[in-house]
Amino acid sequence: MSLNPFLKDVQIYPYTKGRYEVRLEVPLTSTLTSSEIERILALSSWEVNPNQTPVRFEGGRSLLISRDQPITKKGISLEALQVLGIGYKPIQFQGPLGLIADHPFQPPNHENFLDLVSGTIMSTSRARGFAIETTRPKYRALGTFVASELQATVENTADVSSLDLEDMVVPHVEAYGRYPQMGNKEGPFGFLVLPVPSLEKPRAFEEMHDQLSQAVGTLSSEGGINYATAFMANYYLMSVKIAPLILGLRDLHEHRRAHLQPHLSNLYVVNGKAYIMDWTTMVHLETNTGENIINRMIDLLKPCENFDYISSTLFGLDPIRLAPISVIIKELVLEVYSRNTQKKISMLDLLDRASDVFRHPATDDEIIAQWLKDQGLEGFPRWTKPTSNPVPQSVFIDPAVERLLRTQPRDLTVPVRSEPKIGRNDPCPCGSGSKYKKCCLE
C-alpha cells in the first residue's frame, strides 16, 4: 500500500516481524535513538507484548516508556515517551472521569470506542458563525487512531510545537506509525509517539483529584468535612494548575491558535509551566472576529468545568450550591488571562454588563465572550465602565445599542463615546451608506 507521509522530511521504517505490520515514520527533527525506535517498533507491532515489558499505562489507549537519555525542552526535562494508539485498557466511565479497569492491555481493533461511552465524551465545541457548535464523531477505533484523527493530531502538534511560545511548552512529534493491513475506508489506523515529563508524573487532573480525594478521606475519618477548608484546598490546588494553563492559552491565542480541549486531563504542570498535550482539536484564529472570541471563550471555560466537576463529585454539591464556588475560579481565570492579577475582577459586575448587552440574564458563555470583547481583543473596541453621570445630549450612542433601546426601551447605562452629534443628513455611523435620518434615526 502506498501511503503519503503526513509530514515532510521523514525517515520510514517498515516492520513485518510482529503480529501487525507497521510503517513507522520518524521526522528528521526527532530526538529518538535507534534503540528507542527498535523498542517502539517491537511494541507497536506486538512482537513484544506490552504487558510483559516494563511500561506504565496511561489513559485508555497509551503507554509510557523510559528514554535512553532525557531531553530538555524550554527548561522542562522530558524523561519518557508516550506511545499512543497501539492498544487499550478497558475504561469504566463515571461522568468525564474514566477509571482504568485492572485488565491486561489489549491490541487495537475495529470495534467502535464510542459505543462503549455515553453522553458527551469525546465531543468538541467550536465556533460556527456566532454560535457554538458541539459535534461528536460517529466512529473511533478501539485503542488506536483512525486515519483522519491521526493526521489531524500529527499535523496540529507539529504546527503548534514550531511556535515560539513563552508561557506554554508543546510536545513535538517524535514519530507516528500506521498499520497498513488494519483500517477502514479512511485509510490505515495508526499511532503517535510524543515526549512526556516522566513515567511517574500524572497529568494535572489526576494529580489534583488524587490529592483532594485523600484530603476528603482524611477529613471524613476525623469526624466530618469542614467544607470551607475543603473548598479552599480545592481552589488552591486548582489555581496552581490553572494559572500556568491560562497564561499559556493567552500566549497560544496571540499566536492565532485555540486548543478547544484544554482540560486538566491534557495538561502537565512542570516548573510552573503548562505542558499541554492532545492537539487533535486545534483551530486557527482567522478573520471572523466573532468566531475567534467564542473559541477563546471555550478555551477559558474548559478548565473551569474541571473545577466544577471535582467540587460536585467530591463534596456532593448540586449546581445551585456549586454556583457561588465556581465563580471564584472564573474570576481567577480572567485575572490571569488579563495578565493583571492585581486588578480584581467581579463576575457580578461582568454579569450586569453582559446582561445589558444581550438584553437578558447572561450565561457564563456570554459573560466571558463579552469580557473578551471589552478587553479590545480580536479588533473589538475596548470598553470602559461609564460614570454614573447622566449622558449628555451631545454624546453619540453606539448605533447597535441605540437600536436595541428603540425596540426595547429600558432604563440602563450604556457605553458611550464622546463624538460630535450626528446631523440628520450626515452619513449614518452604522456604515449602511444611508443618511442618518433614513437609517438609525428612524
Side-chain angles (χ1 to χ4, degrees), residues 353 356-357 359 383-387 389 391 395-398 400-402 404-405 410-417:
R353 159 67 178 159
D356 283 345
V357 172
R359 312 296 298 175
W383 181 82
T384 55
K385 187 176 182 179
T387 64
N389 297 329
V391 179
V395 171
F396 169 66
I397 300 177
D398 187 274
V401 176
E402 187 174 50
L404 285 173
L405 291 173
R410 182 181 177 188
D411 180 19
L412 81 166
T413 303
V414 297
V416 300
R417 55 180 186 267

Side-chain angles (χ1 to χ4, degrees), residues 208-234:
M208 194 182 68
H209 191 276
D210 289 348
Q211 290 171 335
L212 281 170
S213 296
Q214 183 176 2
V216 169
T218 300
L219 289 169
S220 299
S221 66
E222 292 175 353
I225 298 176
N226 182 323
Y227 282 102
T229 302
F231 293 150
M232 288 311 298
N234 189 12

Side-chain angles (χ1 to χ4, degrees), residues 40-334:
I40 291 166
L41 287 168
L43 288 168
S44 61
S45 69
W46 282 72
E47 179 188 19
V48 171
N49 188 325
N51 298 289
Q52 298 171 353
T53 187
V55 299
R56 175 176 175 264
F57 298 104
E58 181 186 67
R61 58 175 179 177
S62 72
L63 52 84
L64 305 181
I65 61 175
S66 59
R67 300 207 64 155
D68 292 341
Q69 293 292 333
I71 65 168
T72 301
K73 188 169 187 176
K74 295 187 177 181
I76 294 180
S77 179
L78 301 172
E79 302 171 5
L81 295 168
Q82 179 194 49
V83 185
L84 175 64
I86 67 167
Y88 70 98
K89 276 206 167 190
I91 303 178
Q92 296 173 341
F93 281 96
Q94 297 180 357
L97 183 65
L99 301 178
I100 307 300
D102 188 20
H103 295 295
F105 195 69
Q106 303 292 320
N109 64 60
H110 288 81
E111 186 176 351
N112 188 1
F113 171 71
L114 297 174
D115 290 340
L116 306 179
V117 299
S118 59
T120 59
I121 292 172
M122 291 194 74
S123 63
T124 300
S125 297
R126 66 185 65 205
R128 283 288 184 268
F130 291 94
I132 299 176
E133 177 184 86
T134 300
T135 59
R136 187 173 186 253
K138 294 181 180 179
Y139 177 77
R140 284 286 185 262
L142 188 57
T144 186
F145 288 91
V146 297
S148 58
E149 183 188 12
L150 179 63
Q151 182 171 1
T153 306
V154 168
E155 292 177 349
N156 289 347
T157 304
D159 175 24
V160 180
S161 66
S162 68
L163 301 177
D164 185 20
L165 299 169
E166 294 183 5
D167 295 313
M168 177 184 288
V169 184
V170 178
H172 55 276
V173 177
E174 291 283 18
Y176 61 94
R178 289 182 267 187
Y179 294 109
Q181 297 178 336
M182 179 168 53
N184 62 2
K185 62 182 180 181
E186 283 189 5
F189 298 155
F191 59 92
L192 180 64
V193 183
L194 302 170
V196 292
S198 74
L199 292 176
E200 292 78 24
K201 185 173 179 60
R203 298 195 187 187
F205 186 88
E206 179 186 350
E207 188 173 46
M208 194 182 68
H209 191 276
D210 289 348
Q211 290 171 335
L212 281 170
S213 296
Q214 183 176 2
V216 169
T218 300
L219 289 169
S220 299
S221 66
E222 292 175 353
I225 298 176
N226 182 323
Y227 282 102
T229 302
F231 293 150
M232 288 311 298
N234 189 12
Y235 175 77
Y236 171 75
L237 289 171
M238 180 67 84
S239 64
V240 170
K241 303 293 188 294
I242 280 187
L245 173 59
I246 299 302
L247 277 177
L249 289 173
R250 178 65 185 258
D251 195 5
L252 180 71
H253 295 168
E254 291 177 353
H255 283 76
R256 314 307 298 157
R257 312 290 196 283
H259 188 282
L260 299 184
Q261 290 287 356
H263 46 72
L264 300 187
S265 295
N266 286 337
L267 174 72
Y268 295 97
V269 176
V270 187
N271 301 334
K273 277 202 169 185
Y275 187 85
I276 191 164
M277 312 286 290
D278 305 324
W279 290 91
T280 310
T281 58
M282 186 272 289
V283 294
H284 286 249
L285 302 180
E286 297 180 339
T287 58
N288 188 317
T289 57
E291 284 192 357
N292 295 345
I293 286 291
I294 293 173
N295 285 328
R296 286 185 186 233
M297 176 269 294
I298 290 169
D299 271 3
L300 296 188
L301 282 178
K302 281 293 180 182
C304 297
E305 292 172 3
N306 288 157
F307 179 83
D308 291 350
Y309 174 75
I310 288 180
S311 297
S312 63
T313 55
L314 290 184
F315 308 131
L317 292 183
D318 58 45
I320 294 176
R321 293 179 64 199
L322 178 62
I325 302 164
S326 65
V327 161
I328 62 174
I329 206 70
K330 294 183 178 72
E331 291 173 343
L332 171 69
V333 163
L334 298 186

Side-chain angles (χ1 to χ4, degrees), residues 318-352:
D318 58 45
I320 294 176
R321 293 179 64 199
L322 178 62
I325 302 164
S326 65
V327 161
I328 62 174
I329 206 70
K330 294 183 178 72
E331 291 173 343
L332 171 69
V333 163
L334 298 186
E335 288 164 6
V336 173
Y337 194 81
S338 69
R339 294 181 177 162
N340 184 8
T341 54
Q342 300 304 311
K343 183 179 179 181
K344 297 302 178 184
I345 289 175
S346 166
M347 284 294 287
L348 288 177
D349 289 345
L350 299 183
L351 171 62
D352 290 341

